[in-house]
Amino acid sequence: MSKKFYIETMGCQMNKSDTERLEGMFMELGYDKTTDQKEADFLIVSTCAIRQTSVDKAYSQLGVWGKRKKNRPDIKIGICGCAAEIDKDALFKRMPYLDLIFGTHNIFKFPEFVKRVENGEKVCEITTIPYPEPEELKLNRQDTVGAWIPIIEGCNNFCTYCVVPFTRGRERSRRPELIIKEAQKAIADGKKEITLLGQNVDSYGKDLHDPNITLANLLRELNKIEGKFRIKFVTSYPTDITDDLIEAVAECDKVSKFFHIPMQSGNSRVLKAMNRRYDREQYYEIYNKIRNRYDEVEITSDFIAGFPGETEEEFQDTLSAIEELKIDYSNTAIYSPRPFTKAGRMTDIFIPDEVKEERFQRLHETNCKMTLASNQKLVGKVYEVLCESQKEKHGKMMMNARTTTGKLIHFPSEKDLTGEFVNVKITKAQTWCLYAELVD
Ligand code: SAH
Ligand code: SF4
Ligand code: F3S
């Protein structure tokens, strides 16, 4: 009987994409995937370090597996991803049951790591030199209608609150040929949506030193692939969005009119302290330029409550920005001090936890209000949606689907339409989803 692996994935889509690669490599080594942790022979947690809560969650999962190992000493336990990059081999001391620690730069060396661990070695390899990507890599794609494709890894921005440049390293773009080949394969395999991933997708190509390699041109190339599917890209850095990109999105019929442009704070002094390269006015300018370019476009954002030194008035600038700009949806977070970061050392101006939490609550409420307002604009209109899955709700079969801009739509259908594009009329809006009915 072949051995079984289980990977628990935390964090962003970048980690989810890494997991598809790791699973593919595990399978090439003859392992089978299991969704039941208890029957796994090799367990791995792919970690996120963006906030302390993410790290704590990963380490408590490892603790559970460590206890299990007492009764089953043959099982192998590994950690990878962003938290592994930070704590490195110190983790062996804290968690002596660990067999494998590796980072974000060397996931393609994974087959070698597994073999060494199988031979009884304890392996810790964290490097800042990227291990080259193989020409042919079998991915174990998730059972979803879409496919994620990383286009650029790492980040050069060093926002003062953020750990990502320390966990994912400097920007490295993948060759366009590799990306196009991967997209062609995903579409041939029946995927209906391609999401291009990067911490700052607008930087795509800068390190490849060819002025023709840009995100805008990559979209134009991908748009030529035959078939009916959608193309998206995340995440955009406000002042790096070029006019050419805005035009490419307008030109390409397969590209969703959707931008995720984190603002982080609505106050110019805080933005400066965060080392973001724009102020409130510049963000407004780019936001409105995008809003006004298309008939319908969804613009989403990220915000942090309680950055060190943030005053009540400055925080209110964040709330007013969300309202004035009518941001369609925002990810919201409480500031969490991170290792190696500049803001993490500003301990004398840290905001007390109860103040941060109270601000976060108001941030959340404003976000809910604006998300509902954004959803209400769709009521009564007809949209083409991509069906993602079918679920029973109150004894009725319902489809979960998304508009091209990513809004979640539920509508009744006895027939399982997963993977199909259909037209629906929106009947009701709630904060986190919309209801609709099929139209012919
Ligand atoms: N590259 C993207 C964001 C990547 S991290 C960008 O530039 O916007 C995802 C989000 O996590 C960030 O947008 C930020 O809102 C949040 N985040 C990052 N570091 C954080 C911290 N120390 N505390 C709280 N939230 C944080
Ligand atoms: Fe972090 Fe800033 Fe880079 Fe985004 S742009 S990953 S927030 S350092
Ligand atoms: Fe987390 Fe690393 Fe992504 S810190 S958000 S998993 S890049």
Side-chain angles (χ1 to χ4, degrees), residues 388-392 397-400 413-418:
E388 293 188 340
S389 60
Q390 191 183 38
K391 278 214 177 76
E392 194 187 315
M397 294 314 282
M398 300 289 286
M399 293 305 306
N400 301 324
S413 168
E414 284 306 318
K415 191 171 162 215
D416 186 358
L417 299 169
T418 303

Side-chain angles (χ1 to χ4, degrees), residues 10-15 47-50 81-83 104 163-164 167-168 199:
M10 300 174 177
C12 65
Q13 290 170 334
M14 210 49 122
N15 265 9
T47 58
C48 172
I50 204 81
C82 291
T104 58
V163 78
V164 170
T167 65
R168 293 260 166 195
Q199 293 301 339

Side-chain angles (χ1 to χ4, degrees), residues 236-247:
S236 298
Y237 192 93
T239 39
D240 289 345
I241 299 172
T242 60
D243 288 348
D244 191 34
L245 176 67
I246 297 173
E247 288 318 304

Side-chain angles (χ1 to χ4, degrees), residues 263 266 280 284 287-288 291 303 316-328 330 362-371 373:
M263 188 185 194
R280 181 179 171 106
Y284 271 49
Y287 183 99
N288 288 325
R291 262 282 177 246
F303 289 95
Q316 285 181 15
D317 284 345
T318 292
L319 300 183
S320 69
I322 299 175
E323 293 196 356
E324 285 172 15
L325 293 168
K326 299 190 170 59
I327 294 178
D328 290 297
S330 301
R362 281 186 283 154
L363 178 59
H364 175 71
E365 280 160 19
T366 302
N367 178 31
C368 288
K369 189 173 88 181
M370 298 318 293
T371 303

Side-chain angles (χ1 to χ4, degrees), residues 12 49-52 155 157 159-164 198-200 235-238 260-264 276 278 301-305 331-338 341:
C12 65
I50 204 81
R51 286 177 281 274
Q52 192 53 38
C155 184
N157 280 322
C159 303
T160 56
Y161 51 83
C162 185
V163 78
V164 170
Q199 293 301 339
N200 180 3
T235 298
S236 298
Y237 192 93
H260 181 58
I261 323 171
M263 188 185 194
Q264 311 298 1
R276 299 289 286 183
Y278 53 89
S301 192
D302 292 355
F303 289 95
I304 299 174
N331 296 310
T332 54
I334 297 180
Y335 171 73
S336 169
R338 306 312 301 133
T341 62

